[in-house]
Amino acid sequence: SQVKIDMPMLDIFSANHPVSQSLAAFRSSFGGTAVMKLKIKSKSLDAFMMADNLKKLHSFTQRLEHEKYISTTASIADVVVMINGKLHGDDKHFRIPDSDEAIEQLVSTFDVDQVSGLVNSDFDEATINLRIYLFGQDKAAVLQKRIKSLFRKSFDNDFMLSIDFRYDSHFSALRTVFSEGVMSISGCLALIFLMFCLQFVNIRSGLLAVFANLFSVVLLLAFMSLCGFA
């Protein structure tokens, strides 16, 4: 048999705990603690060299930035907006150009390899990198459902969306440590029970020994709660 534990590890800390406060400071300074990648695939080649599609992409990313748990977004549309504004040297040109020809001229100004993480070489698949701050599969599922809803409002059926989201490695490590800790405690309690049962030839003695050790665990949890753990 296997014991599998999946829980938002950092949610165990209360809002006023130093860990929660440090995370809040990190989010405000760096935008989040995890990355979600959205891949938008078009049926047409060079779809994301067309002004209309880039405007849709830019509008979609702006909507995403207003969603809960999302702090920042990055896409090829942002690159085009930045280059267009820098080339013209005024604020009103920090936008997607109106013509496909203007887009093509802008694209020719930068190395495609430098933006390979945002668009493929055929310009028919764009990637949006989201910096997010959430913990727990339930929140992730709600966010992904909301993203899909916004996508359908922004793009027609010629475009397909796929979402790639994995917890950062240190979150996985925390879950692994917690799981192994639970397994170790369970194993120790089982071993204590067997040792007392064999020594005293009495199941009641084994149960009393387990209860004494469980009482210590409860006291430890109570102390952790007083120290600020939720």
Side-chain angles (χ1 to χ4, degrees):
S1 63
Q2 291 183 337
V3 175
K4 202 173 175 186
I5 298 174
D6 187 6
M7 64 175 292
M9 291 298 304
L10 297 178
D11 281 356
I12 66 175
F13 299 100
S14 62
N16 60 350
H17 193 276
V19 172
S20 298
Q21 294 175 353
S22 298
L23 279 172
F26 179 86
R27 292 165 184 166
S28 63
S29 300
F30 298 98
T33 52
V35 174
M36 179 180 288
K37 291 183 179 290
L38 312 182
K39 292 187 179 293
I40 302 176
K41 177 73 173 178
S42 173
K43 295 180 180 179
S44 305
L45 294 176
D46 296 330
F48 291 105
M49 288 186 67
M50 299 179 181
D52 288 343
N53 292 333
L54 280 177
K55 287 181 179 179
K56 292 178 182 178
L57 181 64
H58 189 51
S59 176
F60 178 53
T61 57
Q62 288 183 319
R63 289 183 179 182
L64 290 175
E65 288 189 356
H66 288 90
E67 290 298 311
K68 188 178 181 181
Y69 304 127
I70 298 177
S71 57
T72 61
T73 66
S75 72
I76 186 62
D78 299 318
V79 177
V80 172
V81 168
M82 181 186 67
I83 293 178
N84 191 42
K86 293 292 185 181
L87 287 178
H88 289 86
D90 54 47
D91 293 340
K92 69 179 183 180
H93 281 93
F94 279 93
R95 58 178 176 80
I96 301 294
D98 295 324
S99 68
D100 297 344
E101 292 77 12
I103 298 292
E104 187 174 352
Q105 291 177 358
L106 287 177
V107 170
S108 66
T109 63
F110 58 84
D111 187 352
V112 176
D113 291 337
Q114 294 179 343
V115 292
S116 59
L118 299 176
V119 68
N120 66 353
S121 58
D122 293 327
F123 279 81
D124 62 348
E125 184 179 79
T127 300
I128 304 174
N129 294 320
L130 307 181
R131 180 63 65 175
I132 62 177
Y133 49 93
L134 58 78
F135 307 101
Q137 290 187 351
D138 53 341
K139 294 178 182 178
V142 170
L143 178 59
Q144 291 183 48
K145 185 177 180 180
R146 177 60 179 165
I147 289 173
K148 291 176 182 178
S149 175
L150 290 175
F151 173 77
R152 279 293 135 225
K153 294 178 181 178
S154 303
F155 293 91
D156 57 34
N157 292 329
D158 289 336
F159 296 85
M160 298 295 294
L161 172 70
S162 61
I163 301 176
D164 180 17
F165 175 61
R166 301 180 182 90
Y167 286 113
D168 289 345
S169 58
H170 58 280
F171 295 149
S172 299
L174 282 173
R175 288 197 299 272
T176 300
V177 170
F178 185 79
S179 300
E180 291 180 352
V182 172
M183 292 297 295
S184 298
I185 293 174
S186 301
C188 289
L189 291 176
L191 183 60
I192 290 171
F193 175 77
L194 289 175
M195 288 177 59
F196 273 78
C197 286
L198 292 174
Q199 182 163 355
F200 295 100
V201 196
N202 191 331
I203 294 179
R204 183 178 297 176
S205 298
L207 292 175
L208 287 174
V210 169
F211 175 78
N213 284 273
L214 278 177
F215 183 71
S216 301
V217 172
V218 171
L219 286 179
L220 175 61
L221 294 175
F223 177 74
M224 291 172 62
S225 179
L226 291 174
C227 289
F229 292 89

